[in-house]
Amino acid sequence: MLTGFKNAVEVDFSLEENQKKIMDAFRQIESEKGTVYPLVIGGERITTNQTITSYNPANKEVLGSVCACTAELADQAIHTANKAFAAWSHTTVDERVRTLRKLATLLIENRFYIDAWNVLESGKNWGEADGELCEQLDFINSYVMHIQNLDKGLELVPTDEHTKCIYIPIGVGVALPPWNFPVSLSAGMVVSAVVTGNTICVKPSSDTPIVAYKLQELCEKAGIPAGVVNYIPGQGSEIGDLLVEHPLTRFINFTGSKAVGCRIYEHAAKVSPGQKWLKRVVAEMGGKNAIIVDSSANIQKAAQGVVSSAFTFQGQKCSACSRAIVLDDVYDAFVEAVVEETKKLKESQGPGQENCAIGPVVNKASFDKITGYVEIAREEGNIVYGGTYSDETGYFVDPTVVRDITREARIANEEIFGPVLAVIKVNTFDEALDVANQTEYALTGSVYSETRENVIKAKKTFHVGNLYFNRKSTAAVVLQHPFGGFNLSGTDAKTGTADYLRNFMNLKSITEDLTD
Ligand code: NAP
């Protein structure tokens, strides 16, 4: 049992004082809109001619823009991080911990401001944004705890020799976070690198680069030395390969789509001229997560869990449920209950800044992709709720429930990453497990069942990184539900754990002969 660690607690936005604080933050941001943010390399602010514009997906308003990193500057950033590594890798764990504790304090002080930027750029609501901030605090506190244990080294058997086995930092990392968790995942990548004595270049998602800049500022204020964390926004398709293939890049920490993750894995495997190591890749990728509902399940509870998993944050969580696999004798009742629950959720649809239960999808490309799948769903099954969308004001897709979907259907196998739920009918629990395991992904899964035999069977055979029973498939909490997927969902990094930090360290075995 772990003691000495406590998960952060979300802000209670039902309280008027907290509502006022986030509204004040939105007002403060109003005066900052339109700002052009520079790159930060070795502590130096650098502007470039090309910029990336950040939009609010709820109303298409321009929030500001960031300078786009060129190939030359990407190379400079890696060299700068490499130089900084020489000193940072020799700092004591105590010093690193102190700095990251300061970062946690600054985050709490700036909580509403960071939440507000997250809401505006990603389209999530207040509670979801603050949930992310809590996850970020949990990452800091868990990594700080783990590194102090890891710093003791590996326990060895006693011998006549003087032996030690210690964890040491490995070098320069590249962080490639996604837009859907721009605060916690980006910060988790930074903190895990910094706490282990490495240095890092952060290329934020092009959809959420401003909130990433705000985190960079807090890292600097916390006293992380120049060059240890570098901020280099840019289109992944333009500078991604260069960062991955650079001979001084020692590790790549990526979270995003399967296609990009597989590309990174392949490119990182090649040894570039001048490169003296094999690169480490942490790649956490997509999902096609299933929730099984068997004949003994509490249907009302299952419907609530499925709807929450499928439609909060518009189905744009990697852990979101996109397939409900339901036994035939409860299928109709379940579909009905899901439709009723979805109707309730849809009553509060609108901009994240108005704290609506469901908001916009992140951008035009996502809107086009998701609505394309809605049209496929219309052909492959029967839409019993939703199926409607509009990009007139912002990018809004209504939560869509599709019944009579076969296991072969495209919407039963491909990641949509939007609010589209395929409901698949099966005859037996074994068939349900078989359908659940059929996709190339294996990230999260859940089973609603009151039959012990089925629960035991699913524990053994439902092959996913995060498996839940009688609860939703989303909302993993640090050190309660260590997160990471199997198969083409990723390298199973299990963020928040000591295992995760080991990805960014070498274990050095040191032996001294004591005889004359
Ligand atoms: P994405 O398009 O793969 O992008 C992720 C990051 O990679 C972004 O910073 C992106 O930059 C960058 N990138 C793009 N092309 C690159 C290249 N060739 N080389 C290096 N980097 C490159 O994914 P996304 O749309 O941001 O995020 C959604 C996906 O993330 C979904 O598939 C979701 O399931 C997955 N996800 C997984 C987890 C998990 O823990 N398993 C968590 C969250 C999200 P640009 O923005 O500039 O393109």
Side-chain angles (χ1 to χ4, degrees), residues 177 179-180 203 206 234 236 240 254-257 260 285-286 318 415 417 483:
W179 55 265
N180 69 332
K203 194 220 75 61
S206 298
F254 166 83
T255 300
S257 62
V260 174
M285 310 193 285
C318 52
E415 188 186 43
F417 216 53
F483 197 79

Side-chain angles (χ1 to χ4, degrees), residues 185-386:
L185 295 187
S186 184
M189 291 175 182
V190 167
V191 172
S192 56
V194 169
V195 85
T196 48
N198 297 297
T199 56
I200 193 124
C201 295
V202 184
K203 194 220 75 61
S205 163
S206 298
D207 286 306
T208 50
I210 298 179
V211 71
Y213 183 85
K214 302 294 171 188
L215 294 175
Q216 173 72 24
E217 285 184 324
L218 293 187
C219 286
E220 293 173 293
K221 265 195 200 152
I224 298 177
V228 172
V229 182
N230 303 280
Y231 170 80
I232 49 166
Q235 295 293 347
S237 52
E238 287 171 20
I239 57 166
D241 286 353
L242 186 151
L243 293 168
V244 169
E245 291 168 8
H246 198 290
L248 289 177
T249 297
R250 184 63 184 78
F251 65 94
I252 296 120
N253 197 345
F254 166 83
T255 300
S257 62
K258 183 196 82 179
V260 174
C262 291
R263 181 186 178 91
I264 288 171
Y265 211 69
E266 186 190 335
H267 284 237
K270 285 193 208 128
V271 177
S272 299
Q275 182 182 322
K276 293 203 291 190
W277 43 66
L278 295 176
K279 291 174 186 172
R280 301 246 181 102
V281 177
V282 170
E284 294 306 300
M285 310 193 285
K288 188 68 196 171
N289 310 305
I291 295 184
I292 295 175
V293 181
D294 83 1
S295 311
S296 67
N298 176 332
I299 296 300
Q300 194 51 37
K301 189 175 169 188
Q304 280 164 354
V306 166
V307 168
S308 174
S309 303
F311 298 135
T312 50
F313 192 28
Q314 301 71 262
Q316 299 173 115
K317 295 178 184 173
C318 52
S319 55
C321 169
S322 62
R323 297 179 292 157
I325 304 169
V326 186
L327 270 290
D328 54 358
D329 56 345
V330 290
Y331 187 84
D332 290 338
F334 173 78
V335 171
E336 234 171 78
V338 162
V339 169
E340 287 314 306
E341 286 302 319
T342 311
K343 271 185 201 163
K344 284 187 215 160
L345 198 65
K346 162 93 171 110
E347 278 167 19
S348 171
Q349 185 182 31
Q353 61 268 38
E354 287 172 23
N355 203 21
C356 297
I358 45 175
V361 300
V362 73
N363 59 25
K364 169 91 175 111
S366 281
F367 178 85
D368 289 346
K369 179 181 168 199
I370 297 164
T371 54
Y373 275 109
V374 169
E375 294 315 314
I376 293 169
R378 222 182 285 287
E379 308 220 317
E380 290 187 328
N382 291 303
I383 295 179
V384 285
Y385 191 82

